[in-house]
Amino acid sequence: ILLNIPSLNNKGDIIVLKDSSNKIIDSLNYSSDWGGDKGYSLERKNSEVPTNDSENWASSIATAKATPGKLNSVTPKSYDLSLTKFIGLKDYAVLGKNFPLLLEIKNNGLTDVNNFMIKIFNDTNKDSLAKPNEEIYEHNSGFLKSHDSLTINTEISDFKLGENNLIAVIEFSQDEFLDNNTAFLKFKVVKIDANRNDLVINEIMYAPLSTEPEWIELFNRSIKTINLKNFQIADRKRSTLITGNNLKLKPNTYLVIAKDSSILKEYVIPSQLVVSEFPSLNNLGDEIILSDSLNRVIDSLKYTSRWGGNNGKSLERISPDKASIDSSNWRTSKSSNRATPGKINSVTVKDYDIAVTEINFQLSYPRPNENAAISVKVKNAGKQKALFTLER
């Protein structure tokens, strides 16, 4: 019926229904506290309960925000199953691994139910419609008592890289209210490039000379190429993006992260270089955290000046395979250039490293044309056996 009814006040009003003889049939004095705002209707729960009982009214829970001309969405029904929870148990899914899900079904109806189906669909075309060819999971449930809930834990692996959309649906032929039978879940699927300690913090210049910027060197000790897009360097207080672009670091290679390109005036750097305004490094000691695009910590340490690396010399890691937090695994650079950005550290044990450690002369002051015996002490400081020649 189309009728020019009196305007209804949003904060509250009185509505009176009269018959043809002006007799009051029903009336109420509602307020906005009862519900029914922001485009949702105010629905009566039970027609047998007094009209002016505020507990007998609630905002519509229908998908359309109202139920004109049909049973109210908040009215108790004989059969009414609802999907009250549909969540992923992790912040993201990893490509190639199972993704755990939790579903919760509640029997809102007045009657116990038996034999209903839970289905999950992968909404690949993102049309929000659960189609048979998109079904990836089903669970046949048995008995569920009135007002009881059922929790289902399951896992799925049928997803693709990037954003995925799932639809969960309760199928029960006797259900009288279908608006609460469907739930949606959006989640991100990622490919993990780096695990803990695949990349390590390998060299730190925290106390440079006045002409040199602070810098940090990373080393890829893994056997895989790692994309550093959206990786971050942080201390306790602040985090900074290394780069928002694709930056691939091959196995056994280095990356230098400097605060300024003026580092190139100090060194010839054979590796990749990124200029990034990471948090300042305290000369007395500081914390450095390397995290990936998912905010997972890949490497971290808390150095102090007692570890070494001050007065314009870098702090070098001895072994990439030993713990970052082990102070005995760090030394002041022994390089004549004061540091080794972009290449193997001067304090690192090399595979091949032959060193002349001592030269002795038999005669302290030999005369012209006089033979003098010379002895040389050579040390193999490397990890491998080595053949070498000695020239004078």
Side-chain angles (χ1 to χ4, degrees):
I1 297 176
L2 299 180
L3 183 66
N4 188 22
I5 61 174
S7 295
L8 302 175
N9 194 307
N10 289 3
K11 293 183 178 180
D13 217 328
I14 300 174
I15 303 176
V16 183
L17 175 66
K18 298 179 180 181
D19 67 6
S20 57
S21 61
N22 211 31
K23 179 183 177 181
I24 293 177
I25 303 300
D26 197 11
S27 67
L28 79 152
N29 184 357
Y30 74 88
S31 77
S32 57
D33 296 338
W34 291 19
D37 58 354
K38 298 180 180 178
Y40 286 86
S41 72
L42 180 61
E43 293 186 350
R44 186 177 188 140
K45 296 177 183 178
N46 191 331
S47 60
E48 305 299 326
V49 176
T51 304
N52 278 291
D53 182 355
S54 62
E55 297 297 319
N56 195 34
W57 294 84
S59 296
S60 174
I61 58 172
T63 304
K65 301 183 179 182
T67 54
K70 55 185 177 181
L71 184 66
N72 287 346
S73 62
V74 298
T75 298
K77 300 154 183 76
S78 294
Y79 296 100
D80 180 17
L81 293 178
S82 65
L83 194 50
T84 56
K85 188 176 289 186
F86 181 37
I87 59 173
L89 297 180
K90 293 185 177 180
D91 294 335
Y92 52 85
V94 177
L95 192 66
K97 295 186 178 181
N98 290 340
F99 183 54
L101 301 172
L102 183 145
L103 301 94
E104 186 177 87
I105 298 92
K106 185 176 181 181
N107 183 0
N108 296 322
L110 305 174
T111 308
D112 300 341
V113 300
N114 197 15
N115 194 23
F116 57 94
M117 187 78 74
I118 310 297
K119 293 184 177 181
I120 298 177
F121 302 81
N122 190 345
D123 187 18
T124 53
N125 60 1
K126 300 181 181 180
D127 62 358
S128 300
L129 299 175
K131 298 177 181 177
N133 65 323
E134 295 177 332
E135 183 181 329
I136 59 174
Y137 171 84
E138 69 176 29
H139 176 83
N140 195 352
S141 294
F143 181 79
L144 185 58
K145 195 173 181 179
S146 173
H147 300 301
D148 273 1
S149 294
L150 169 69
T151 299
I152 298 174
N153 286 279
T154 187
E155 294 182 336
I156 62 167
S157 58
D158 188 3
F159 42 70
K160 62 179 180 15
L161 196 64
E163 185 180 275
N164 284 248
N165 297 269
L166 300 182
I167 306 174
V169 179
I170 300 174
E171 291 189 356
F172 179 51
S173 59
Q174 295 174 276
D175 205 308
E176 300 172 65
F177 183 60
L178 301 180
D179 284 19
N180 56 8
N181 288 31
T182 302
F184 299 87
L185 173 63
K186 183 182 293 185
F187 66 99
K188 185 179 181 182
V189 179
V190 300
K191 182 181 178 183
I192 299 294
D193 277 342
N195 294 312
R196 181 89 190 208
N197 295 327
D198 279 349
L199 288 174
V200 294
I201 300 164
N202 199 56
E203 189 173 0
I204 309 164
M205 179 61 84
Y206 66 81
L209 301 177
S210 59
T211 57
E212 183 180 349
E214 292 180 341
W215 52 268
I216 298 169
E217 178 193 79
L218 306 181
F219 176 65
N220 183 357
R221 60 182 291 273
S222 75
I223 59 172
K224 55 195 174 187
T225 297
I226 297 174
N227 191 346
L228 277 77
K229 182 179 180 180
N230 294 331
F231 273 53
Q232 301 163 80
I233 289 288
D235 60 8
R236 291 183 192 175
K237 300 179 180 178
R238 189 167 67 93
S239 178
T240 303
L241 200 67
I242 295 174
T243 177
N245 301 319
N246 289 319
L247 177 60
K248 295 183 178 181
L249 193 61
K250 294 181 179 180
N252 297 311
T253 58
Y254 302 85
L255 172 70
V256 176
I257 307 165
K259 284 194 170 185
D260 194 281
S261 60
S262 62
I263 187 176
L264 295 174
K265 297 178 181 178
E266 306 291 333
Y267 311 99
V268 175
I269 301 177
S271 73
Q272 296 186 81
L273 170 68
V274 171
V275 175
S276 176
E277 189 60 34
F278 56 82
S280 295
L281 303 175
N282 194 306
N283 287 6
L284 296 178
D286 214 333
E287 189 170 14
I288 304 176
I289 304 165
L290 172 67
S291 57
D292 67 4
S293 59
L294 302 171
N295 290 320
R296 299 179 310 133
V297 174
I298 302 302
D299 193 21
S300 64
L301 60 92
K302 187 178 179 182
Y303 72 86
T304 73
S305 58
R306 292 191 298 271
W307 288 23
N310 41 44
N311 298 321
K313 294 184 178 182
S314 72
L315 177 62
E316 293 187 347
R317 188 183 189 125
I318 297 173
S319 172
D321 301 322
K322 293 182 179 180
S324 301
I325 59 175
D326 183 358
S327 61
S328 66
N329 194 35
W330 294 86
R331 292 285 186 277
T332 300
S333 176
K334 299 190 297 184
S335 170
S336 58
N337 292 326
R338 300 176 287 104
T340 55
K343 55 187 177 182
I344 192 168
N345 289 343
S346 62
V347 299
T348 297
V349 179
K350 285 78 174 170
D351 285 336
Y352 298 99
D353 185 10
I354 303 297
V356 176
T357 60
E358 191 176 318
I359 302 177
N360 293 308
F361 296 87
Q362 183 184 22
L363 299 176
S364 300
Y365 303 100
R367 292 191 293 271
N369 299 319
E370 182 178 11
N371 291 331
I374 301 173
S375 64
V376 178
K377 190 172 183 178
V378 178
K379 181 179 179 181
N380 183 1
K383 300 177 184 177
Q384 306 293 335
K385 294 179 181 180
L387 296 174
F388 66 95
T389 60
L390 191 63
E391 298 180 357
R392 62 182 176 88

